[in-house]
Amino acid sequence: MSSTSTMTAASEPLPTTVWWLECKWRAPLHIYIATIFIMLFLVSSGIIGWFNYIKSRNMILSASDELFASLGREATLQFEDIYQPAEMLVDLLAHQRLGQDASLSERMVSTPFLADALRQSTVSAIYAGYPNGDFFLFRRIPTDAALRSSLHASDGAAYMIQSIERTGDNTRSMYLYLDSQLQEITRRDAQDYKYDPRTSNWYQRAAGGQVQIKTKPYPFFTTHEIGTTFARQSAIGPAVIGVDTTLQLLSRALQNQRVTPSSELVVYLRASGMVLAYSGSQRVIEAQAADSSSRLARLDELGAPIMASMMKEVLTQTVRDKYLLQVNGRVWRVFDQALSVRGERKGDIRLAIVAPQDELLANAYLIQRNAFFGTITIFLLCIPMVWLLSRVVSGPLRLLRNEARAIQEFDFTTPHTSVRSVVSEIDALAGTMDSMKVTIRKFLDISRTIAAERDFDHLLEHVLAETITAAGATAGVIYLLNADETVLTPAAARVQSDAITAAAISMTDNTLSRHPVRRALADDATIVVQLNPVDSEGQQLFGEFSKALSTMPQNVIVVPLRNRSSETLGAMCIFTGDSGELPRSLTSFITALSGTAEISIETQMLLRAQKDLFDSVTKLIASAIDAKSPYTGGHCQRVPELTKMLAEAACAATDGPFREFAMGEEEREALHIASWLHDCGKVTTPEYVVDKATKLETIYDRIHEVRMRFEVIKRDAEIEYWRNVSNGADRDTLQEHLKETWKALDDDFAFIANCNEGGEFISQDKVKRIHQIAQRTWMRTLDDRIGLSHEERSQKERLVAPVLPVTEQLLADKREHIIERASSDLMPADNPWGFKLTIPANKLNRGEIYNLCIGRGTLTEEERYIINNHIVQTIIMLSQLPFPKHLKQVPEIAGGHHEKMDGTGYPKRIKRDQMSIMARMMAIADIFEALTAVDRPYKKGKTLSEAIRIMDFMRKEQHIDSDIFELFLDTGVFRTYAQRFLLPSQVDEVDVKNPTAKAGGL
């Protein structure tokens, strides 16, 4: 930088000549573009195709592993689904009369119960063994023809009874067949049926014990199905009760879960390789040669080569979760995992899933093949497109060559043609040449245009753009000084017609003391310096911005910007693009233009600061209200959005009642502030009232106190039971009475708890029952007036303390539950805001019976008044603010969203004609948001059709404005809002012509 306020740069070295530039052969640009594109396409397509194959292969294998793991979890659940009902049924049967019946006729009485138990579970048979050797078995006859034949079941037989009765040395065995109505069809003697339950493993393990036993899976003798027996000692008789449950459902599930056509699934025992369930053939049971009994088949007896190979792995006693096997020339992927079956050690039962790897990867091979043919197809289609695109890119260069020849010949008579290009460098070159042919008359209106701009960001961009254009410059930056005057921040930066990022300038960094902007501010004068953007000094001064400039030295005009108090606002830098001597008129013009910019910038900065502050405070209040309670959610933030949508729809209307409705910037600002502050009065609403989720809730839910009183009464009943037992009363009768008492108390508490939730309208019958339950009493022995706050103690001291112990009602409305209203809480009829309020006599009524008898919802009349009072506070608070003239409507707009069109609203009871259109819009927005909100724990957000249907009823009852509601429906504002703020499950079809008609989901 020279001492004459100019910057000089060292001569730029000539670029090194490369060998391909020395070639005398020249080709058009579109040939180069097409050649490079085709080469890049072929290389990238090959790399992408191979990468996609590898990724697809890995993804498929990974997905297979995840699927196999999921099948393991499902198999575990299948065991639970099979075993759990059987376990529960055995426990129930242990308390059923079958355990003590002594003859077949007595045992037949239980058949309806047993038939119902079989129908409701997966159990195949229920039986009982008796200490004298009697045996009674009730079986559901399956539909399978082979099994029915093996059981000798006749047509119409649905159930079968196998009975053995022993009297002394006589044994009578009999089969009985029953139809679906449990009517006997036939019976036959079965003298060949010789069975003594006392010798069975299940009988011996369960007899005399108090716990349920379960056998290992085994083939059933009669049906040859694989299953398990559950048994336990009867709780009321000498018999041992047992049930059989099969694993047939598990085998069916495995058959339906094959991941590929050739895959196999098998559940087996780890120790022996015995098969419990198999997705292939039904050969899972092998006959014993010695005694013609049956046993479980091993893996190598299933007839599948892959299963035989797996059996070798099992015999090695090594456990591997995943491995590969090669069988008959195919590679099989094996996933072997332990099943966590209740009652079995983990690892005893395992699920093996095997699938050929070529079938698993079939999709990957298909993707690779399709990708190859797709690439070839795209390549052939792209060749003409690339050729055309290259011609499009090079076309503007040919036009610019003609323009340059005309300028070289000083021919400005040709019509102005704008040359544009998708290439930024070519487009920038075209813009530069266009600017040389634009008339200077355009600049006469610059000052007036800048002064008329009201948006601050647009103002800065406008000032800079017009200045660059007027000066014929290439770039510019406007810097503004921050609040503590330590940094000059780039507020607008442009190179040609494009916005760009510029670096900030520190006012405290001594290394930048010679920066042109710092010098202009220090001298308080316009300066012109010469800068070379590419040298080290230029890059140090302007950073990244210099890289976007021309590489040749150029002049920089720096103009300080000050306000009317001569305080520094910032500076404006204009880069001329050339290093020649600048005409004095250009510098004077830019300096004069900056004066208008200074006034406009200062004014807009002041207005923007004030509006930003007020807007931030407004949103701060709304956010605080939403954050105060989870029951309001984002209400204060969504209502403004919906209100503005309605207002914009009304402005866009060209016919109907809103064809003449329009809003300027001032009206929009008033609506913006009013909608954000429409619930500001909620800051005065107590959280425990807003958050009241149940009827008995205050600071906490008093249902816990009521529950404990029930517990006390139940304990008293139990104590009375034991007292009477000790006095010699009949224990069975007392126990039955105690159970009835407990059941009645449990039912009463469940009823009270349900009423406490407030989920539905409470009828007079329920109110009567609440009063009846309240008459129950319990005894309190502790003083309830100690350890209390001063306020609560004062409430209790209004009555004389009773002598302990004292008998109290289970539920009560006590004097201490009433919080009286102070005179300061009353609103005079002639209040300055015009409120017309019905004020409850008491401030709060926390009576337990009173609250439980609330007709609908969870709030009492007193609590509803407290919540509704937020709109009163909103109007009072906003009326006290000194709004400017164009915002005087804010209190009316914000405070009218609870009014109704028929004059029955709240708090002023004004009618439709007394409300502004914007207040009526906000009422609809407030209701619709409240109906559809999904972030409120006390209710589920309604669907579009439900909300519109409710609001249509409100329109018919003149609660909301009919014209605005029609606008809300016809313009689709409700659906636009739903797409932004509602869950997809809430967005269903709405018949805007008949909103009250129920609509199905989309």
Side-chain angles (χ1 to χ4, degrees):
M1 187 180 299
S2 66
S3 58
T4 59
S5 296
T6 61
M7 284 188 169
T8 58
S11 300
E12 182 180 2
L14 293 175
T16 304
T17 302
V18 292
W19 63 271
W20 59 80
L21 296 180
E22 296 179 351
C23 180
K24 294 182 179 180
W25 184 79
R26 296 287 186 268
L29 177 62
H30 60 273
I31 296 296
Y32 284 109
I33 294 175
T35 302
I36 294 172
F37 183 88
I38 290 173
M39 293 176 62
L40 290 176
F41 178 83
L42 292 175
V43 173
S44 61
S45 296
I47 295 174
I48 292 173
W50 176 252
F51 178 79
N52 286 342
Y53 167 72
I54 296 299
K55 278 294 184 182
S56 300
R57 182 182 185 276
N58 293 338
M59 288 176 62
I60 291 174
L61 292 179
S62 176
S64 300
D65 291 343
E66 293 179 3
L67 176 59
F68 294 163
S70 174
L71 294 179
R73 292 190 292 270
E74 291 184 12
T76 301
L77 294 177
Q78 285 285 344
F79 271 104
E80 290 295 320
D81 291 343
I82 294 172
Y83 283 176
Q84 190 174 20
E87 294 172 349
M88 294 176 59
L89 181 58
V90 169
D91 289 337
L92 290 175
L93 291 170
H95 296 82
Q96 207 266 343
R97 61 171 291 170
L98 184 64
Q100 60 185 9
D101 290 337
S103 66
L104 175 61
S105 59
E106 292 179 355
R107 295 160 189 162
M108 290 287 289
V109 175
S110 299
T111 55
F113 177 83
L114 301 180
D116 188 56
L118 290 178
R119 284 194 296 269
Q120 300 298 325
S121 67
T122 58
V123 171
S124 61
I126 301 172
Y127 44 85
Y130 298 85
N132 65 347
D134 280 11
F135 182 69
F136 179 83
L137 181 145
F138 187 80
R139 180 191 307 279
R140 179 172 50 199
I141 300 178
T143 58
D144 182 79
L147 288 177
R148 293 181 65 88
S149 176
S150 66
L151 296 175
H152 305 288
S154 59
D155 293 340
Y159 300 97
M160 173 182 178
I161 296 175
Q162 299 171 222
S163 173
I164 298 176
E165 291 182 289
R166 288 182 169 86
T167 305
D169 295 334
N170 296 324
T171 300
R172 183 182 182 187
S173 300
M174 184 176 297
Y175 293 161
L176 288 81
Y177 298 90
L178 311 179
D179 62 15
S180 59
Q181 303 300 319
L182 301 180
Q183 299 299 316
E184 183 175 336
I185 298 176
T186 183
R187 66 171 62 190
R188 65 182 179 88
D189 290 331
Q191 297 305 321
D192 57 339
Y193 180 41
K194 301 182 183 299
Y195 177 69
D196 191 339
R198 295 169 295 182
T199 63
S200 299
N201 174 267
W202 59 270
Y203 183 94
Q204 295 174 355
R205 289 176 57 192
Q210 298 299 319
V211 296
Q212 186 182 122
I213 64 96
K214 174 171 71 73
T215 66
K216 296 290 184 181
Y218 67 96
F220 294 149
F221 177 79
T222 303
T223 62
H224 299 287
E225 297 174 304
I226 297 175
T228 301
T229 296
F230 294 84
R232 66 164 291 176
Q233 176 69 49
S234 171
I236 62 173
V240 174
I241 305 299
V243 301
D244 286 345
T245 180
T246 71
L247 298 180
Q248 187 176 8
L249 291 177
L250 182 60
S251 293
R252 288 200 204 102
L254 296 183
Q255 293 172 7
N256 296 330
Q257 291 175 341
R258 289 182 171 180
V259 293
T260 67
S262 302
S263 61
E264 303 280 2
L265 293 86
V266 62
V267 176
Y268 69 95
L269 298 176
R270 176 70 184 87
S272 60
M274 295 294 184
V275 178
L276 303 183
Y278 181 44
S279 64
S281 69
Q282 298 300 317
R283 186 184 175 190
V284 293
I285 298 177
E286 289 290 329
Q288 296 276 24
D291 55 1
S292 299
S293 60
S294 299
R295 65 169 177 83
L296 298 178
R298 295 191 309 272
L299 290 171
D300 53 355
E301 295 174 337
L302 296 178
I306 182 62
M307 294 293 121
S309 297
M310 276 188 57
M311 186 64 186
K312 296 178 182 178
E313 290 287 329
V314 173
L315 294 177
T316 62
Q317 299 300 316
T318 59
V319 178
R320 291 190 294 171
D321 291 340
K322 289 188 293 186
Y323 55 92
L324 298 177
L325 291 177
Q326 188 165 0
V327 179
N328 295 336
R330 298 181 80 179
V331 177
W332 295 72
R333 192 172 184 83
V334 182
F335 188 90
D336 194 345
Q337 62 174 318
L339 300 182
S340 299
V341 180
R342 184 166 51 178
E344 305 288 347
R345 287 188 311 171
K346 185 173 182 180
D348 285 355
I349 299 179
R350 300 185 68 85
L351 169 66
I353 306 170
V354 295
Q357 188 152 291
D358 57 341
E359 291 184 359
L360 288 176
L361 297 179
N363 286 336
Y365 300 144
L366 180 61
I367 291 172
Q368 185 183 28
R369 184 167 58 253
N370 291 342
F372 173 76
F373 289 110
T375 301
I376 296 299
T377 303
I378 294 173
F379 174 72
L380 296 176
L381 293 175
C382 282
I383 290 178
M385 295 176 61
V386 170
W387 184 265
L388 178 61
L389 179 62
S390 63
R391 298 286 294 183
V392 171
V393 172
S394 61
L397 286 176
R398 293 191 296 273
L399 296 176
L400 288 177
R401 180 189 59 190
N402 297 333
E403 287 286 326
R405 183 176 295 116
I407 294 174
Q408 183 181 17
E409 298 173 355
F410 296 93
D411 180 10
F412 296 97
T413 59
T414 57
H416 171 70
T417 57
S418 178
V419 179
R420 302 304 304 269
S421 173
V422 295
V423 180
S424 60
E425 291 82 356
I426 300 175
D427 195 66
L429 177 60
T432 301
M433 299 183 68
D434 283 344
S435 65
M436 296 173 63
K437 302 178 69 175
V438 176
T439 178
I440 201 167
R441 291 182 180 179
K442 175 183 176 182
F443 309 127
L444 298 178
D445 298 328
I446 290 179
S447 296
R448 184 171 66 252
T449 303
I450 292 175
E453 182 62 62
R454 300 184 62 182
D455 183 86
F456 186 67
D457 293 329
H458 290 171
L459 171 69
L460 297 176
E461 293 288 344
H462 208 160
V463 167
L464 184 61
E466 295 293 351
T467 304
I468 292 173
T469 304
T474 58
V477 186
I478 291 180
Y479 294 95
L480 294 181
L481 195 62
N482 66 348
D484 55 5
E485 300 184 355
T486 58
V487 177
L488 283 163
T489 303
R494 302 183 72 83
V495 176
Q496 300 293 346
S497 59
D498 300 324
I500 198 169
T501 303
I505 302 173
S506 172
M507 296 294 288
T508 59
D509 188 354
N510 293 331
T511 61
L512 297 177
S513 60
R514 300 300 296 168
H515 195 289
V517 176
R518 293 268 300 268
R519 285 176 52 196
L521 294 179
D523 298 342
D524 191 19
T526 301
I527 66 171
V528 179
V529 296
Q530 192 176 88
L531 174 73
N532 187 350
V534 297
D535 66 11
S536 59
E537 185 175 14
Q539 293 185 8
Q540 179 187 13
L541 296 177
F542 289 95
E544 293 294 324
F545 183 77
S546 64
K547 296 181 180 180
L549 302 175
S550 170
T551 59
M552 300 300 293
Q554 56 187 286
N555 289 314
V556 182
I557 305 173
V558 184
V559 184
L561 302 176
R562 298 187 181 275
N563 60 17
R564 283 164 285 192
S565 300
S566 297
E567 296 172 341
T568 301
L569 296 176
M572 180 167 59
C573 299
I574 302 298
F575 296 80
T576 63
D578 61 76
S579 57
E581 186 175 352
L582 297 179
R584 185 180 183 87
S585 59
L586 178 59
T587 305
S588 301
F589 173 75
I590 293 176
T591 303
L593 186 60
S594 68
T596 304
E598 288 172 341
I599 297 174
S600 300
I601 291 173
E602 179 188 15
T603 303
Q604 291 297 321
M605 287 179 68
L606 291 174
L607 292 174
R608 180 177 182 179
Q610 292 177 352
K611 288 185 178 181
D612 287 348
L613 176 60
F614 187 71
D615 190 54
S616 298
V617 173
T618 298
K619 293 180 179 179
L620 176 66
I621 294 172
S623 298
I625 293 169
D626 281 345
K628 182 180 179 182
S629 169
Y631 289 82
T632 58
H635 175 76
C636 292
Q637 301 179 41
R638 291 190 288 266
V639 169
E641 294 294 330
L642 183 52
T643 305
K644 291 174 186 176
M645 290 181 189
L646 268 173
E648 293 300 332
C651 290
T654 57
D655 54 11
F658 299 101
R659 61 184 177 276
E660 297 181 359
F661 179 81
M663 290 195 307
E665 288 300 321
E666 293 181 347
E667 288 81 4
R668 295 176 191 274
E669 183 181 0
L671 181 62
H672 171 80
I673 294 172
S675 57
W676 274 95
L677 292 178
H678 78 284
D679 272 346
C680 65
K682 285 185 178 179
V683 298
T684 66
T685 306
E687 291 181 30
Y688 71 90
V689 177
V690 176
D691 295 352
K692 188 181 182 187
T694 62
K695 295 180 179 181
L696 291 178
E697 184 175 346
T698 53
I699 302 298
Y700 70 101
D701 195 340
R702 293 178 292 166
I703 191 66
H704 305 300
E705 291 186 16
V706 175
R707 182 189 297 108
M708 187 52 64
R709 295 173 198 164
F710 273 93
E711 293 285 2
V712 170
I713 296 176
K714 290 181 70 174
R715 297 301 185 275
D716 288 346
E718 185 177 13
I719 292 170
E720 182 66 20
Y721 161 78
W722 287 112
R723 182 182 291 115
N724 292 332
V725 169
S726 66
N727 291 333
D730 182 62
R731 183 166 184 166
D732 292 339
T733 302
L734 292 174
Q735 189 175 33
E736 187 66 27
H737 180 264
L738 177 62
K739 290 180 180 179
E740 292 175 356
T741 302
W742 277 2
K743 184 178 185 305
L745 288 169
D746 290 344
D747 291 344
D748 286 347
F749 176 72
F751 171 74
I752 294 298
N754 183 64
C755 292
N756 185 47
E757 294 176 4
E760 59 183 28
F761 176 77
I762 187 165
S763 64
Q764 287 301 315
D765 291 340
K766 292 184 178 180
V767 171
K768 182 178 180 181
R769 185 178 176 186
I770 291 173
H771 283 276
Q772 291 174 345
I773 294 172
Q775 299 307 310
R776 289 183 181 271
T777 59
W778 65 289
M779 181 170 292
R780 177 171 61 84
T781 62
L782 297 177
D783 190 353
D784 64 350
R785 301 192 176 204
I786 59 177
L788 306 180
S789 66
H790 174 74
E791 181 180 359
E792 190 173 359
R793 188 181 297 111
S794 299
Q795 289 289 109
K796 287 183 174 291
E797 288 176 352
R798 291 186 292 182
L799 296 175
V800 178
V803 178
L804 297 176
V806 59
T807 299
E808 293 192 352
Q809 289 184 206
L810 184 59
L811 302 170
D813 288 341
K814 298 182 179 180
R815 181 68 181 84
E816 62 202 51
H817 289 151
I818 303 297
I819 309 297
E820 297 177 347
R821 185 176 300 282
S823 58
S824 58
D825 289 338
L826 300 175
M827 179 68 68
D830 58 345
N831 62 86
W833 302 281
F835 299 142
K836 299 176 182 178
L837 306 176
T838 301
I839 304 177
N842 298 317
K843 185 175 183 179
L844 285 173
N845 186 339
R846 294 172 178 163
E848 296 166 345
I849 300 175
Y850 177 77
N851 276 266
L852 286 170
C853 291
I854 294 172
R856 190 180 297 277
T858 62
L859 298 177
T860 64
E861 178 186 359
E862 294 81 4
E863 290 164 341
R864 289 190 183 278
Y865 175 79
I866 291 174
I867 289 181
N868 289 338
N869 193 53
H870 81 271
I871 192 63
V872 172
Q873 298 302 319
T874 294
I875 295 174
I876 293 175
M877 292 165 63
L878 294 180
S879 298
Q880 295 173 349
L881 295 179
F883 285 111
K885 183 177 180 180
H886 69 284
L887 298 180
K888 290 295 184 182
Q889 264 191 301
V890 167
E892 187 271 337
I893 299 173
H897 63 279
H898 282 269
E899 301 290 352
K900 298 178 181 178
M901 303 303 103
D902 59 359
T904 62
Y906 187 87
K908 297 183 180 181
R909 300 180 186 174
I910 56 178
K911 294 187 176 182
R912 178 183 184 275
D913 295 339
Q914 297 172 278
M915 300 173 62
S916 66
I917 292 178
M918 290 184 284
R920 285 178 263 154
M921 287 179 177
M922 189 175 297
I924 288 180
D926 187 76
I927 294 171
F928 184 75
E929 193 286 330
L931 289 173
T932 58
V934 296
D935 51 7
R936 304 187 182 184
Y938 64 88
K939 76 175 186 69
K940 178 182 177 182
K942 296 189 179 298
T943 63
L944 278 183
S945 60
E946 292 171 339
I948 296 299
R949 187 161 54 250
I950 292 172
M951 294 180 71
D952 190 51
F953 284 119
M954 297 177 72
R955 181 261 303 269
K956 293 175 181 177
E957 295 172 356
Q958 297 187 51
H959 289 176
I960 59 176
D961 187 280
S962 179
D963 292 338
I964 297 178
F965 186 63
E966 289 294 335
L967 177 74
F968 183 63
L969 296 180
D970 293 342
T971 59
V973 168
F974 71 96
R975 190 166 299 280
T976 302
Y977 173 86
Q979 297 299 331
R980 290 181 57 189
F981 297 104
L982 301 190
L983 299 176
S985 59
Q986 292 181 269
V987 183
D988 60 358
E989 190 63 38
V990 176
D991 184 359
V992 297
K993 301 299 182 183
N994 185 18
T996 55
K998 292 187 177 181
L1002 287 176

